[in-house]
Amino acid sequence: MENLIALLIAAPLLGAVVLLCGGRRLDKTGHWIGTLLAAVSFGIGVVLFADMLGRSADDRTLTQNLYTWIPVEGFQADMAFQLDQLSMTFVLLISGVGTLIHVYSIGYMEHDERRRRFFGYLNLFVAAMLLLVLADNYLLLYFGWEGVGLASYLLIGFWQHKPSAATAAKKAFLVNRVGDMGLSIAIMLMFTTFGTFAFTPLFGAVGETSEGTLTAIGLMLLLAACGKSAQVPLQSWLGDAMEGPTPVSALIHAATMVTAGVYLIVRSAAIFNAAPDAQLVVTVVGAVTLLFGAIVGCAKDDIKKALAGSTMSQIGYMILAAGLGPVGYVFAIMHLVTHGFFKAGLFLGAGSVMHGMNDEVDMRRYGGLRKYMPVTFVTFGLGYLAIIGFPGLSGFFSKDMIIEAAFAKGGTEGWILGGVTLLGAGITAFYMTRVMLLTFFGDKRWQPDADGHEPHPHESPKSMTIPMVILAFGSVFAGAFFEIGERFLKWLEPVTGYSHGNPPVSAMTVTAATMVMLLVGVGIAWAMYGKRPVPVVAPRGSFLTRAARRDLYQDDFNHVVLVRGGEHLTRSLVYLDHSVVDGVVNGTAASVGGLSGRLRKLQNGYARSYAVSMFGGTAILIAATLLMRAV
C-alpha cells in the first residue's frame, strides 16, 4: 500500500501538466480530464483509508521514500511521504471536496474560453496541497507550501483582465511571502539545532533542546500559519481573494490553502508542547482573529466577502484550539473537517446565487430568492445552520468541543478564551442570519444593470447543484458521525495526543450558554433585517459599522506602516546613496581627476624643462643626503 501514496499527488499533478501543456486541442475535454484525475486521487485515498482502518492504531503510519532529493554531505533531504491518521484526514478532505468543486466548476465555468487552463490550475492546487500534507519532512512540506502559494496566485488572478483581480492576486502572493519567510527561518533553525528536517527524528530530539530555541521555532511556524490561514496580522489578503471565480473561493476557504496553517501547527505539536510561550501566542492570535473576522463579516454586503470574514473567524477557532495543546488539537482538526463541508457548500451556494443573478454580489439587491432557487436555498440553509451551531448539525459538535476545550484550559486564561469563543458564536449567528435574510427572504430588490438587463433568477444546472447537495449532507451528518463513540478523537489521538483538561463548568452548561448566544445572535439579526425593510443602498451606520466595512482598517494600517514606511525608507536609502556613497565615489574621482590635470601641466613636451626637473630632483636628493649625514 505504501507505493500508492505518491499516486495521490501524481494524479492531479499529471492533470495539471497535461492541461497546461496540451494546448487548445484539449479545450473541449480538458475539464473532464481535470475532474477525472482529481477523482482518481480521491479513489486512491479511499483505498488507503480502508487499508488503514484494517490496521491497529499503532500500525497506521505508512512511509514511502522515492529518492534522495538533495544528496549533499551533512545535508540530506528526501522525497519521502508519510501517511498517518492526520495526513489521511486531510487527503480525504482535499481530494474529496476538491473533486466536488471540480464537478461544480464544469457548469460554473462553462462559457469561459479559458476553462481548460482553469482546471489545470485547480489540479495544480490540489497536487500542491496533497504534497504539503503528505511530506515527511519540513523541507518537502515547504515545497508544497510554495506550490499552494503559486496556485492561489494563478487562480485568484485568473480573470486578470480585471485590474481588481490582478491586484488581489498580487496582494495575496506578497502577504503570503511574509509568512513564508517565517517558515523558511523555522526550517533553518531546525536544521542548525537538530541536524535534520524529518519529522520523526526531529520530534524525538525536542526534549534535548532549550525552550528558548523551541519558542523561536514555534513563533516562526505561527508566522507562516498566519500567512496561509489569513490570521492577524497577515489576514488582509483574504477578502480581496474573492475576486477569483467562486469555485476558487470554495477551494481556498474550505479544503486547501487556509487550512494549511492549522495543519502546520498540529503537525508540529511536539515543538509547541515544549514551548508554552509560543502556544500562548497561538491562542491569542486565534482569539483575536476569531472576533476580527466575525466583526468584518457583520458589515459586508458582498455575499462572498461576508463568507470570507466568516472563514477568517472560523479558522481563528481552529488556531485557538490548536494553541490549547493536547486539549484542543483533535477538535481543531474536527472543526476543520466539518468546516470543509459547510463552508464549501456555502461558497458554492453563493456562486449558484450569482449564477442566477447575472453575477451580482450585493446582497441588498437580492431578496426572496428561495422561491426561485429552492435547491440552492435548502443546501445553503443547511450550511447556515451548521456554521451557527444549530443542535445536531456538524458545526454544533465541532464548535461546541472547541468552546469546552477553551474553558478546560483552566484559570483566568480559560475563562477569557471561553468567553471569546462564546461571543464569537453569538456574532457568527448574527452575521450568517443576516446573509440568509438578505439573500433568500423578504421582497425582491434586484434592479436592471447598467445595460438595462434585469436579472431573472433561476436554479443552477445539476453539475452545480449535485455537489451542493453532497456537501449539505456532510454539513448535516459529519459532526454527529465523528462524535458518536468519540470516533474522531480515537482516530487522531495516536498522532496528536489528547488531554481532557480541567473544565471549571460542565459540558451541559457550556452547551446551554452557546445556545443562548446563538438565539441572541439570530434574534438581533431578525429584528434588524427580518422585520424591517432593507434599503438597497446601505446606510452610513455607526463608527464600528464603517470600520468593519473597511475591514477594521487593516489595509489602512498596512498602507501607513508598511507602504508609506517603505517609501520613506526607500527615499532615505536613495538620499544616502546619492549624498554619501555617490558623494565619496564621485569626490574621490574628482580629486584624482583634478590632481591629474595639474600634474599633466608638467608634461609640456620640452626637453630642457625635463632636464631642469631632473637636475632639481638630483640636487634635492644630494642636499637631503648631506643633511642626514650631518645630523
Side-chain angles (χ1 to χ4, degrees):
M1 284 295 173
E2 291 86 348
N3 295 331
L4 294 178
I5 299 176
L7 296 180
L8 289 167
I9 305 167
L13 185 60
L14 174 63
V17 173
V18 169
L19 295 178
L20 296 177
C21 300
R24 294 187 177 277
R25 72 191 74 177
L26 297 177
D27 281 355
K28 294 183 178 180
T29 58
H31 50 287
W32 295 112
I33 295 173
T35 303
L36 175 62
L37 288 172
V40 166
S41 182
F42 177 64
I44 296 171
V46 171
V47 171
L48 288 168
F49 177 62
D51 175 74
M52 189 175 286
L53 288 177
R55 300 169 180 259
S56 61
D58 57 354
D59 187 37
R60 286 177 171 168
T61 299
L62 304 178
T63 59
Q64 181 183 13
N65 193 337
L66 293 182
Y67 56 88
T68 299
W69 178 21
I70 304 177
V72 180
E73 184 178 356
F75 182 94
Q76 178 173 319
D78 295 326
M79 184 65 70
F81 308 115
Q82 174 178 301
L83 184 66
D84 56 17
Q85 293 93 316
L86 178 60
S87 51
M88 175 56 77
T89 301
F90 277 84
V91 164
L92 294 177
L93 178 67
I94 295 163
S95 60
V97 176
T99 299
L100 292 176
I101 292 172
H102 277 71
V103 174
Y104 178 93
S105 300
I106 293 174
Y108 191 87
M109 302 294 290
E110 181 179 3
H111 302 295
D112 195 297
E113 61 182 13
R114 299 170 65 238
R115 181 165 63 164
R116 169 185 54 84
R117 184 178 296 273
F118 179 78
F119 276 82
Y121 292 160
L122 286 183
N123 274 192
L124 178 63
F125 205 142
V126 171
M129 190 66 191
L130 287 171
L131 175 61
L132 191 158
V133 300
L134 287 170
D136 90 326
N137 62 83
Y138 281 100
L139 193 60
L140 188 58
L141 180 152
Y142 185 78
F143 190 64
W145 191 272
E146 291 301 311
V148 170
L150 171 62
S152 68
Y153 170 78
L154 296 172
L155 286 168
I156 294 170
F158 183 74
W159 288 328
Q160 68 262 28
H161 60 275
K162 298 166 54 180
S164 57
T167 301
K170 183 168 64 175
K171 182 177 181 180
F173 191 83
L174 292 176
V175 173
N176 272 272
R177 296 292 72 73
V178 178
D180 294 351
M181 284 297 298
L183 182 55
S184 62
I185 293 172
I187 293 173
M188 295 175 196
L189 288 172
M190 290 173 187
F191 185 75
T192 56
T193 302
F194 302 103
T196 182
F197 308 111
F199 295 151
T200 301
L202 192 154
F203 296 153
V206 162
E208 305 169 5
T209 308
S210 69
E211 184 177 316
T213 300
L214 295 174
T215 298
I217 294 173
L219 292 177
M220 290 299 100
L221 292 175
L222 174 60
L223 180 62
C226 286
K228 277 290 183 287
S229 295
Q231 300 293 285
V232 171
L234 300 179
Q235 78 287 0
S236 63
W237 66 270
L238 194 65
D240 295 295
M242 299 302 98
E243 290 293 335
T246 298
V248 175
S249 303
L251 191 63
I252 289 177
H253 288 247
T256 55
M257 187 168 178
V258 295
T259 64
V262 182
Y263 170 80
L264 181 66
I265 293 175
V266 175
R267 174 59 76 188
S268 307
I271 295 173
F272 284 97
N273 290 341
D277 290 340
Q279 270 190 337
L280 177 61
V281 178
V282 172
T283 58
V284 171
V285 168
V288 171
T289 310
L290 186 165
L291 295 178
F292 190 107
I295 293 171
V296 168
C298 290
K300 294 295 185 181
D301 292 328
D302 183 319
I303 186 171
K304 289 172 63 177
K305 290 191 176 183
L307 294 178
S310 169
T311 296
M312 195 186 305
S313 178
Q314 298 305 308
I315 299 294
Y317 269 106
M318 301 171 206
I319 294 291
L320 185 152
L324 297 174
V327 177
Y329 289 137
V330 172
F331 305 127
I333 303 301
M334 181 177 175
H335 192 54
L336 186 151
V337 175
T338 59
H339 178 265
F341 285 112
F342 56 70
K343 184 50 65 66
L346 288 169
F347 267 110
L348 296 188
S352 180
V353 170
M354 292 167 58
H355 179 80
M357 292 292 292
N358 294 347
D359 289 329
E360 177 63 67
V361 296
D362 190 342
M363 293 183 292
R364 292 181 179 275
R365 297 179 181 271
Y366 293 164
L369 292 181
R370 70 185 188 281
K371 303 174 185 177
Y372 305 91
M373 311 178 71
V375 177
T376 300
F377 167 63
V378 172
T379 55
F380 193 98
L382 291 173
Y384 152 72
L385 293 174
I387 194 173
I388 69 172
F390 188 83
L393 274 69
S394 60
F396 166 77
F397 293 100
S398 57
K399 190 183 295 184
D400 204 57
M401 291 299 178
I402 292 178
I403 297 173
E404 290 179 22
F407 279 107
K409 183 69 174 177
T412 304
E413 183 181 339
W415 282 105
I416 293 174
L417 294 176
V420 168
T421 55
L422 279 177
L423 179 59
I427 301 176
T428 300
F430 171 81
Y431 68 71
M432 285 306 305
T433 302
R434 174 179 179 267
V435 170
M436 281 295 295
L437 293 174
L438 288 177
T439 304
F440 295 103
F441 292 89
D443 299 326
K444 67 176 186 178
R445 298 182 299 275
W446 55 83
Q447 300 176 352
D449 59 21
D451 298 324
H453 299 143
E454 183 173 326
H456 297 284
H458 57 278
E459 191 57 86
S460 300
K462 289 185 179 180
S463 63
M464 295 172 64
T465 56
I466 289 176
M468 291 158 55
V469 170
I470 296 173
L471 291 169
F473 186 85
S475 300
V476 174
F477 297 107
F481 177 78
F482 291 156
E483 180 61 17
I484 293 174
E486 297 184 327
R487 283 192 181 98
F488 202 79
L489 191 154
K490 293 177 180 177
W491 167 257
L492 277 186
E493 185 178 4
V495 179
T496 63
Y498 175 67
S499 173
H500 188 266
N502 186 28
V505 293
S506 67
M508 288 297 295
T509 302
V510 172
T511 300
T514 305
M515 290 301 99
V516 170
M517 295 301 295
L518 184 154
L519 292 174
V520 170
V522 171
I524 295 175
W526 172 255
M528 293 179 63
Y529 299 97
K531 296 178 65 176
R532 304 176 186 174
V534 177
V536 176
V537 178
R540 188 166 183 268
S542 65
F543 170 78
L544 182 59
T545 300
R546 297 195 301 274
R549 286 175 186 156
R550 294 179 63 88
D551 297 335
L552 297 182
Y553 302 110
Q554 55 183 317
D555 283 329
D556 301 83
F557 176 82
N558 290 342
H559 186 77
V560 171
V561 175
L562 301 178
V563 177
R564 289 187 180 174
E567 290 175 350
H568 291 311
L569 176 61
T570 302
R571 288 170 185 158
S572 300
L573 292 175
V574 169
Y575 176 79
L576 178 66
D577 181 56
H578 288 170
S579 302
V580 179
V581 178
D582 287 353
V584 172
V585 173
N586 295 336
T588 303
S591 300
V592 172
L595 179 61
S596 300
R598 292 179 176 84
L599 292 175
R600 187 165 58 245
K601 294 179 180 180
L602 300 176
Q603 307 296 319
N604 53 20
Y606 293 107
R608 60 179 178 273
S609 298
Y610 299 156
V612 171
S613 298
M614 294 172 65
F615 177 77
T618 303
I620 292 173
L621 289 174
I622 292 173
T625 302
L626 294 174
L627 180 62
M628 291 292 293
R629 287 183 177 181
V631 173

